[in-house]
Amino acid sequence: MIMFRQWIVLTLLFSVDVAAKQPPTHWMITTTDVLLTDSPTLLSAPVNVQVERQNQANTLVWQGESDAIFVIEETTDGNHYTQVGSTSENTFRVDNAVTGRFSYRVQACDNNGYCSNWSVPTRPVGEIPPITAIAFEDAGALTVMKIAENNPHQYYEDVVHIYEYRNVRDEQWTRIETPSAFTPPTSGEYWLRGYVCRDSEALTECSVPTVSSHATFLAVRPTRPVAKLHQGPYNEITFSWNEQENAAFYHVLVQRVKDVSTLFKGKVVAPQIVFNDQFPRGENIAFEVMACASETVCSIYSEFIITSPFVRLTPYVPTSYLEVGENNYAAFSWEPSARHADYYEVKISDNGMVVFLGKTTDLSIESHDFLSRGNPLAFQVRACLNEGSCSNYSEPKTFTPEWLPHNPLPRPWTLNASKTVAQLGEQIRINWSMHPDFKEAVTFNIKRRSASSEVILAENVNATHFDYIVDDIGELTLFVEACNNIGECGRSRNLSLYGVNTESTLSITAVPDRVMVGEKVGFVYNLPSGYSCYSPFLKEEIKGRGVLTKVILAVTDSNQFTWRCSDFLFNYKFIDTTFTSRKLPAPSLRLEK
C-alpha cells in the first residue's frame, strides 16, 4: 500500500509543479475519505547537470542527493517541459531525439513524494532549425534595407541570427553588421543568406544557411550635389554641379520664387545644363538639382540658387539691304540689331497688303521668282524679343518683279509639315499652297534630296498635301515641284525634317579598349541627329550628326573612362562604353654571360 501511495503522490506532485513552478511544503491528499498528512523532507536541487549528444541520443549526468529519485523533463524548440523519465541513478539517456533543439532539467524526490527545486536547464543540444525564408525588403526603394524573415520556431536566448550578402559578380559572402540599416557598398544585384548560431563569434554550432530566392537590385543613394550657377550675356544661364559617383542621371528643377510654379523639370546625364534666355526676366528664379541612382533612389535636392534674368530693352531698328538679280531673284538682308534681339520678323507688302509675314533668326531671306509680278513689293524687317516687344519696322526697300518673256513658272508658295522631328517609320503630313495670283492648273511632285541624288516620293499629285512615312534617320530635306501642262516645273523652298530611331542602339566603341598611358585611343561613334553623347573623360557633350565619327585622344592617366549617351528628343536611354588605361610596367634588367 505504501508503493501505491507514493505513486499517487508523485503523479500529483508533477502535475502541480508544471503549473506552479514551485514544490509545495505540505501535501494533503484525500483518497476514499482517508486524510494523509506527512512532514516535508528538505532536498537539494541537482547541480552540474550536463548533456552530451551522440547518434541522435542525449545522455545526461548530474550530482544530487543520495537515495533520491530523479525526475527528468525535456523541452523541444522552446516549448513546454514534458517528463521523459525518472531514475535513481545520477545519469539518464534519452533515445530517438531526432529533430529539434533539446534542453533538460532534473528534480530530486524522496519516497514520500517530496521534491526539490528544478535544476538549472542544460544548454540546448541538437540541430538548430533553419530560417524559413529571407529576402531584402522594399528593395530598390530605400537605401536602408530591412531583413524580412519568416520562421515559426522559437529559439533560445543564447542563439543569434547571422546575415550575409554577396554581389552576383563575386563569390565571397560578407557579414551584415547592422541588418536593420544595411547599405550596399555599390549599386548592383545582391544575394542574401541567413542562419542561426549559438556562438556569434566562433560560429561553431549553426543552422543550415537559408539563401534568398532571387538576387535583388540594390541602389546606393548618391550624395547631395553641390551646385553653382553662372549667368552670362543675353541671359544665358549655366547651371552645373559636382558629378556624383553613384548617379545614373540628375533631376533639375527650376521654379518661380513668388508662386513656386515650375518653369522647368527635366532629367539630364551631364553634370550641367544651359538655359538660353527661356525664363521670365526681372523675376527671382530658383535652381535645384538632385542625383539619382535609379528612378526611386535619389539624393535630396541641392541648396537652391536664386537669380533674376536681366530685363532687356526693346531692340533697335535693323539696317536693311535689298539685292535683286536676274529672273526676279531678290535677296533681302539686314544687320544685327545694336541691342539684343531674339528673332527678326520680315514683312513683304503689295500696295499695302501683306503678302508675306515670317519669323527668322537668320539675317537674310531670298526669293527665286515666287513673289507676285507686276506690282512694287516693299521689304521690311524688325527686331523682336521673346516676350513680345519689337522695334519699329525698317524703312521699306522696294522691288517690282517683272513679267518674264515666258509664262511664269509654277512654284509652291508655302511648304510646311505637321512635325519636324519624327521617329523612323512614323507618318507625318506635308502641306503646301500656291500663290493666290497663280491660276494655272498644276500637278505636284514630292522629292527628298540626299547627299548625291534626289529621291522621288510621289509624282503627279493633285492634292496640296502628302502623307510622308519617315524612311531614314538624321536630317532629311524635302521639297515640292509644281508642274504645268507643258512640263514646266518650279520648285519650292527646302523643308528640313529630322528622322530618329529611339529603338536602335547608339554605338560607341573605344579602339582599343585597353591602352597604355601615353598611347592614343580612338572613339568611334554613330549618333543620329537629335541624340547627344556626354563624356566625363572629354568633359563635353557631342551632338549626333548621323554619320560615323572618330575621335583620337591621348591617354594621360591610368584610369577607367566612360562615355554615356542619351536621347534628348524622346525617352532617356543610356548606353555606356568603357575603356581602361594602365601605366607602362617598369623595365627589367637581366645580365647574361
Side-chain angles (χ1 to χ4, degrees):
M1 191 64 185
I2 293 175
M3 293 299 295
F4 181 73
R5 184 194 66 172
Q6 291 175 346
W7 181 85
I8 293 177
V9 171
L10 285 174
T11 301
L12 184 59
L13 171 63
F14 300 151
S15 175
V16 173
D17 178 70
V18 170
K21 303 295 182 182
Q22 294 293 333
T25 57
H26 186 73
W27 288 96
M28 290 190 300
I29 303 176
T30 303
T31 305
T32 63
D33 299 326
V34 177
L35 180 62
L36 176 63
T37 303
D38 290 326
S39 298
T41 302
L42 298 178
L43 297 176
S44 299
V47 295
N48 296 329
V49 182
Q50 303 292 326
V51 59
E52 295 295 334
R53 178 175 176 81
Q54 187 176 10
N55 298 328
Q56 297 182 347
N58 299 329
T59 301
L60 288 84
V61 294
W62 61 86
Q63 297 175 356
E65 298 276 357
S66 59
D67 299 328
I69 298 173
F70 299 98
V71 179
I72 300 93
E73 288 189 345
E74 174 189 75
T75 179
T76 305
D77 296 333
N79 295 315
H80 294 298
Y81 280 95
T82 59
Q83 181 178 336
V84 294
S86 61
T87 180
S88 59
E89 304 292 332
N90 283 43
T91 182
F92 186 81
R93 178 186 173 93
V94 181
D95 295 313
N96 298 321
V98 180
T99 303
R101 189 79 169 146
F102 306 95
S103 182
Y104 299 91
R105 64 182 183 180
V106 182
Q107 188 180 52
C109 300
D110 61 16
N111 289 331
N112 295 320
Y114 297 103
C115 299
S116 69
N117 292 327
W118 289 104
S119 67
V120 176
T122 65
R123 65 178 179 85
V125 294
E127 295 181 358
I128 300 177
I131 297 173
T132 305
I134 191 169
F136 282 111
E137 188 176 79
D138 297 330
L142 298 173
T143 300
V144 176
M145 297 300 168
K146 297 180 180 179
I147 306 299
E149 179 183 335
N150 178 22
N151 195 317
H153 298 295
Q154 296 180 3
Y155 301 121
Y156 294 93
E157 293 181 358
D158 64 336
V159 298
V160 293
H161 292 65
I162 305 298
Y163 302 102
E164 296 176 332
Y165 69 91
R166 177 175 69 84
N167 192 296
V168 294
R169 298 175 299 178
D170 302 329
E171 297 297 329
Q172 183 68 35
W173 289 91
T174 303
R175 184 167 175 177
I176 299 176
E177 300 297 338
T178 310
S180 61
F182 170 62
T183 299
T186 59
S187 297
E189 291 188 326
Y190 289 88
W191 292 101
L192 173 67
R193 75 177 182 183
Y195 43 93
V196 183
C197 299
R198 284 196 62 249
D199 189 338
S200 60
E201 297 299 330
L203 304 181
T204 55
E205 192 174 351
C206 302
S207 68
V208 176
T210 299
V211 182
S212 56
S213 61
H214 61 276
T216 304
F217 179 80
L218 305 178
V220 178
R221 189 184 303 277
T223 56
R224 186 185 191 185
V226 178
K228 59 182 180 180
L229 187 144
H230 174 73
Q231 187 166 350
Y234 307 122
N235 285 327
E236 180 185 271
I237 297 175
T238 301
F239 184 49
S240 61
W241 51 91
N242 58 327
E243 189 171 8
Q244 300 301 311
E245 179 181 358
N246 296 306
F249 55 88
Y250 303 90
H251 275 296
V252 176
L253 178 64
V254 183
Q255 294 178 308
R256 181 185 278 111
V257 173
K258 67 179 181 180
D259 58 5
V260 201
S261 59
T262 298
L263 301 176
F264 176 86
K265 187 175 184 180
K267 184 166 59 174
V268 298
V269 178
Q272 72 171 31
I273 184 172
V274 179
F275 301 101
N276 290 302
D277 195 26
Q278 61 194 76
F279 301 124
R281 296 169 182 159
E283 296 188 27
N284 288 331
I285 309 298
F287 295 76
E288 298 174 272
V289 62
M290 67 178 177
C292 296
S294 67
E295 292 293 345
T296 55
V297 180
C298 298
S299 70
I300 62 174
Y301 274 108
S302 64
E303 293 280 351
F304 58 81
I305 302 177
I306 297 178
T307 189
S308 178
F310 305 125
V311 176
R312 293 188 181 174
L313 301 177
T314 302
Y316 291 129
V317 178
T319 301
S320 62
Y321 308 92
L322 182 63
E323 178 186 354
V324 296
E326 296 180 353
N327 298 322
N328 289 327
Y329 168 82
F332 183 51
S333 61
W334 53 91
E335 294 180 358
S337 172
R339 186 178 287 166
H340 174 77
D342 294 318
Y343 64 91
Y344 298 91
E345 186 176 83
V346 178
K347 179 175 69 171
I348 304 176
S349 304
D350 182 351
N351 290 324
M353 183 180 69
V354 177
V355 295
F356 175 83
L357 185 66
K359 296 178 180 180
T360 180
T361 56
D362 296 329
L363 296 175
S364 66
I365 64 168
E366 293 182 344
S367 170
H368 294 271
D369 193 30
F370 62 83
L371 296 171
S372 57
R373 295 169 179 161
N375 294 323
L377 302 177
F379 291 73
Q380 293 175 281
V381 63
R382 65 177 180 175
C384 298
L385 297 176
N386 286 329
E387 60 264 31
S389 61
C390 296
S391 69
N392 293 327
Y393 276 107
S394 62
E395 290 293 325
K397 303 294 183 180
T398 59
F399 162 60
T400 302
E402 300 177 352
W403 289 102
L404 300 178
H406 55 78
N407 291 330
L409 288 177
R411 194 184 305 277
W413 176 253
T414 63
L415 178 63
N416 54 69
S418 58
K419 60 191 307 185
T420 57
V421 179
Q423 290 214 52
L424 184 67
E426 184 178 0
Q427 178 176 291
I428 61 177
R429 172 154 290 193
I430 310 297
N431 298 283
W432 61 89
S433 66
M434 298 296 292
H435 191 277
D437 293 342
F438 192 85
K439 305 301 181 184
E440 290 185 277
V442 292
T443 58
F444 302 98
N445 302 325
I446 299 91
K447 297 183 179 181
R448 177 168 66 81
R449 187 174 65 186
S450 63
S452 59
S453 63
E454 293 180 351
V455 179
I456 299 176
L457 302 177
E459 289 184 293
N460 301 322
V461 175
N462 292 312
T464 57
H465 66 268
F466 173 70
D467 292 326
Y468 169 54
I469 297 178
V470 178
D471 56 354
D472 202 355
I473 61 175
E475 185 174 4
L476 308 173
T477 302
L478 278 70
F479 62 91
V480 177
E481 288 181 338
C483 302
N484 57 25
N485 54 9
I486 62 172
E488 293 178 328
C489 299
R491 58 180 293 171
S492 69
R493 65 177 178 84
N494 291 333
L495 176 66
S496 294
L497 307 174
Y498 289 88
V500 296
N501 182 11
T502 58
E503 299 302 323
S504 65
T505 300
L506 307 181
S507 60
I508 308 171
T509 307
V511 183
D513 59 354
R514 292 183 180 272
V515 296
M516 297 291 187
V517 173
E519 293 183 349
K520 293 184 178 181
V521 60
F523 284 97
V524 180
Y525 63 90
N526 185 1
L527 299 178
S529 297
Y531 289 81
S532 63
C533 179
Y534 176 78
S535 168
F537 177 50
L538 293 176
K539 300 205 179 294
E540 66 177 84
E541 193 172 66
I542 305 299
K543 298 293 185 181
R545 300 188 301 164
V547 296
L548 200 64
T549 307
K550 186 173 183 179
V551 178
I552 304 296
L553 300 169
V555 178
T556 59
D557 195 7
S558 177
N559 209 332
Q560 189 176 71
F561 304 99
T562 300
W563 279 39
R564 176 165 294 163
C565 286
S566 64
D567 165 15
F568 283 3
L569 292 176
F570 293 94
N571 300 325
Y572 288 86
K573 300 183 178 180
F574 307 112
I575 177 170
D576 290 347
T577 294
T578 301
F579 78 94
T580 303
S581 65
R582 57 189 178 87
K583 294 183 178 179
L584 289 169
S588 60
L589 181 65
R590 183 177 61 183
L591 297 177
E592 297 183 357
K593 294 182 179 180

